[in-house]
Amino acid sequence: IKHPLQSCWTLWYYENDRSLSWEQNQKEIASFQNVEDFWSLYNHIKPASELRQGTDYSLFKKGIMPMWEDDSNKRGGRWLFSLDKKQRNNELDRYFLDIILCVIGEDFDNADEICGVVVNIRQKGDKIGVWTADAQNSVAVLEIGRKLKERLHIQSRTVLGYQVHKDTIEKTGSVSKFSYTV
Ligand code: M7G
């Protein structure tokens, strides 16, 4: 017997091919809706730490594209986990897996607000984002942020920030402000 998940999830892979648009570089890999199929997929793909720089994995509820423009994302934002370079070797994969398990387990009062998870593999430091649907829904955003921080055993003095996608899109320079912190 397979153990069903609350939602069906789709894994995407992004690779930067300059001859294609950003959207065209998002490739759908596979979908799953039970725990066993999640593990066979997870065990089959390269861990994030072994991907090339400039690539992403995105795991979104089926039907939501892993981009700001999707109707489910356009009013939303992300809880951002910024890792430093040395964390790729020992912490990135564990963080990403723990976040995925929280998200697909829908272990939140406001699990409906979660759209997906993205990991960006970048030279300047890898990032994991947990995308939620409505940046104005402060109750949901904060509940999700607090729970993630607790589940991932992030030290209380480490600040986790939430960025509204609109601010990320319009940002000038390399930093965009946090609308919430936990
Ligand atoms: P990134 O890959 O999120 O982070 O954004 P990085 O700056 O650390 O590499 C890099 C660029 O990819 C953005 O400036 C956009 O040009 C493009 N991009 C990223 N995202 C998440 C989107 C998206 O959702 N939609 C579109 N159209 N472009 C995006």
Side-chain angles (χ1 to χ4, degrees):
I1 296 169
K2 291 187 172 185
H3 299 79
L5 295 166
Q6 213 111 295
S7 304
C8 183
W9 298 85
T10 302
L11 179 71
W12 300 76
Y13 175 64
Y14 170 93
E15 198 168 78
N16 187 8
D17 174 343
R18 277 153 212 267
S19 64
L20 299 175
S21 69
W22 186 88
E23 285 195 39
Q24 288 171 324
N25 279 321
Q26 287 284 359
K27 300 277 158 48
E28 193 175 325
I29 307 288
S31 297
F32 57 87
Q33 52 188 328
N34 63 67
V35 176
E36 290 75 6
D37 290 349
F38 162 69
W39 285 113
S40 20
L41 177 60
Y42 184 81
N43 291 329
H44 181 77
I45 59 172
K46 275 192 190 174
S49 62
E50 288 175 26
L51 295 179
R52 283 195 277 127
Q53 319 263 19
T55 58
D56 304 333
Y57 278 140
S58 301
L59 184 68
F60 276 72
K61 284 178 181 157
K62 192 182 169 74
I64 305 180
M65 304 277 281
M67 48 190 77
W68 304 316
E69 293 86 348
D70 191 281
D71 277 341
S72 298
N73 295 321
K74 65 186 184 195
R75 280 170 240 92
R78 64 173 175 178
W79 282 108
L80 180 62
F81 299 79
S82 295
L83 308 189
D84 52 49
K85 289 183 189 180
K86 56 177 188 287
Q87 289 178 293
R88 184 178 299 164
N89 289 325
N90 43 20
E91 289 171 274
L92 174 68
D93 294 332
R94 188 74 230 173
Y95 264 122
F96 187 46
L97 178 58
D98 284 350
I99 291 173
I100 289 174
L101 294 176
C102 286
V103 164
I104 69 175
E106 307 212 21
D107 223 356
F108 304 88
D109 299 336
N110 295 283
D112 286 353
E113 282 288 310
I114 294 184
C115 298
V117 183
V118 180
V119 60
N120 307 118
I121 304 304
R122 297 291 183 274
Q123 165 91 58
K124 60 193 179 219
D126 305 321
K127 291 175 283 184
I128 303 174
V130 176
W131 290 33
T132 74
D134 181 3
Q136 311 263 43
N137 187 342
S138 55
V139 171
V141 170
L142 287 167
E143 186 251 338
I144 290 165
R146 289 192 188 110
K147 201 158 282 173
L148 283 168
K149 189 169 176 179
E150 175 193 311
R151 294 289 152 79
L152 299 171
H153 308 292
I154 292 173
Q155 292 175 318
S156 51
R157 64 183 151 88
T158 303
V159 175
L160 200 59
Y162 183 92
Q163 291 174 333
V164 177
H165 294 318
K166 281 216 173 71
D167 295 336
T168 307
I169 295 164
E170 290 161 9
K171 78 179 173 194
T172 47
S174 62
V175 278
S176 82
K177 65 169 200 253
F178 291 137
S179 293
Y180 304 94
T181 54
V182 292

